[in-house]
Amino acid sequence: MSDDNPHSSNGSSKSFMEKIVQAFTGEPQNKEELVEVLQDAQDRELIKPATKQMLEGVLEVADMRVRDIMIPRSHMVTVDIQQPVEEFLPIVLESAHSRFPVINDDIDHIEGVLLAKDLLSYGFTKEASSCTLKDIIRPAIIIPESKRVEPLLKEFRQQRYHMAVVVDEYGGVSGLVTIEDILELIVGEIEDEHDDLLEREIRRLAGNVFHVKALTDLDDFNEYFNCDFDEEVADTIGGSIMHRFGHMPLRGESIAIDGFEFKVVSADKRRIQQLQVTVPKEHEINGRLVDER
């Protein structure tokens, strides 16, 4: 009987397969309908939530431009080409980055890129004191803000470079973007094995200004900054801030709450991604949290 009427036993499966066929033969008609197919697949446990999230990340990247994901110029860690090794080496060690834009006097004059690994050959020789940035920097890749992220990722892979400097329409430096920034949009946060979790989420930029990832647990945020934002509203600081805005804020929007100033550094159509937090000068923070054992 089941052979005579196959639809009676696998009709729901065929319904799903029809949607998949539609997705790759010109239908659905838009991204929203394709996302519905992915949601249906997850609901039927045909794909895992992590897989669905990754596929949605691919769809988001297809619509993004570099300006949407770049690290803004105010957050760039740079070294000056005139600096001797004893001056720029502490910057390299403290930031723990692997690549640094090299500037000449100001950030709008990019001379090249320093790879931290290129310093290793000078680390155990007598030539270390004579090391100059002019001798070891590599050419900088310059791209416009309007460049689409998807072809940029392809160029990163094909040409084997990992960072590009972003400029605006007037040639001024807007920020920088790395291959890791793009991959994190697709696969999620890539953790640095040298940092603990909280240090990856909260980073001091200068003085009382901090860079905070929006997915930082609100409980951790409150303890780090010695404050008391309502944890009943949201689980993360990004969710709490979006609730205070009352709408999905755009990049650059800011809001003041209890003396703290929150500026949206990056966001997509659905969520805040990164925040710049300015703490009141008189406010005392707890800082890095250490597990008590």
Side-chain angles (χ1 to χ4, degrees), residues 27-170:
E27 297 182 23
Q29 296 298 319
N30 53 54
K31 187 174 72 174
E32 287 70 23
E33 292 181 6
L34 182 54
V35 170
E36 290 180 4
V37 173
L38 297 176
Q39 182 61 55
D40 186 53
Q42 179 184 317
D43 292 343
R44 296 170 184 268
E45 299 184 353
L46 297 174
I47 60 174
K48 296 180 179 180
T51 303
K52 172 178 173 288
Q53 182 179 359
M54 188 182 302
L55 292 171
E56 288 181 341
V58 172
L59 294 176
E60 283 189 6
V61 165
D63 291 336
M64 286 184 171
R65 297 186 183 272
V66 170
R67 68 169 70 93
D68 299 321
I69 66 167
M70 68 181 183
I71 299 169
R73 62 183 282 159
S74 60
H75 293 178
M76 290 171 57
V77 179
T78 63
V79 294
D80 195 291
I81 198 166
Q82 304 298 333
Q83 289 179 303
V85 62
E86 60 268 20
E87 288 187 15
F88 70 73
L89 188 57
I91 298 173
V92 172
L93 295 174
E94 183 178 352
S95 68
H97 294 167
S98 59
R99 292 169 175 80
F100 302 84
V102 178
I103 64 174
N104 192 345
D105 291 331
D106 65 67
I107 200 170
D108 287 319
H109 293 84
I110 302 291
E111 296 289 335
V113 174
L114 169 67
L115 272 61
K117 68 178 183 179
D118 288 342
L119 297 172
L120 291 176
S121 60
Y122 294 89
F124 305 98
T125 68
K126 295 180 181 179
E127 300 175 357
S129 59
S130 62
C131 170
T132 63
L133 287 172
K134 292 180 181 179
D135 299 327
I136 59 176
I137 61 174
R138 304 191 185 197
I141 305 299
I142 310 296
I143 60 173
E145 286 183 352
S146 57
K147 188 177 184 66
R148 290 192 174 276
V149 172
E150 189 174 18
L152 176 61
L153 178 58
K154 184 177 181 180
E155 291 175 15
F156 273 148
R157 296 175 57 200
Q158 290 181 340
Q159 301 180 29
R160 297 188 177 183
Y161 59 87
H162 291 245
M163 185 178 77
V165 177
V166 185
V167 296
D168 60 25
E169 58 183 316
Y170 304 105

Side-chain angles (χ1 to χ4, degrees), residues 213-229:
K213 293 183 179 179
L215 290 179
T216 301
D217 286 343
L218 195 52
D219 181 57
D220 288 341
F221 182 91
N222 283 338
E223 189 169 352
Y224 187 100
F225 287 104
N226 188 27
C227 55
D228 188 27
F229 287 93

Side-chain angles (χ1 to χ4, degrees), residues 9 12 36 89 98 103 138 161 163 172 177 181 194 198 205 212 231 241 260 274-275 278 288:
S9 61
S12 60
E36 290 180 4
L89 188 57
S98 59
I103 64 174
R138 304 191 185 197
Y161 59 87
M163 185 178 77
V177 63
D181 295 326
H194 300 296
L198 198 60
L205 295 176
V212 179
E231 297 178 25
I241 297 306
F260 286 70
Q274 301 177 73
L275 293 162
T278 303
R288 180 178 178 179

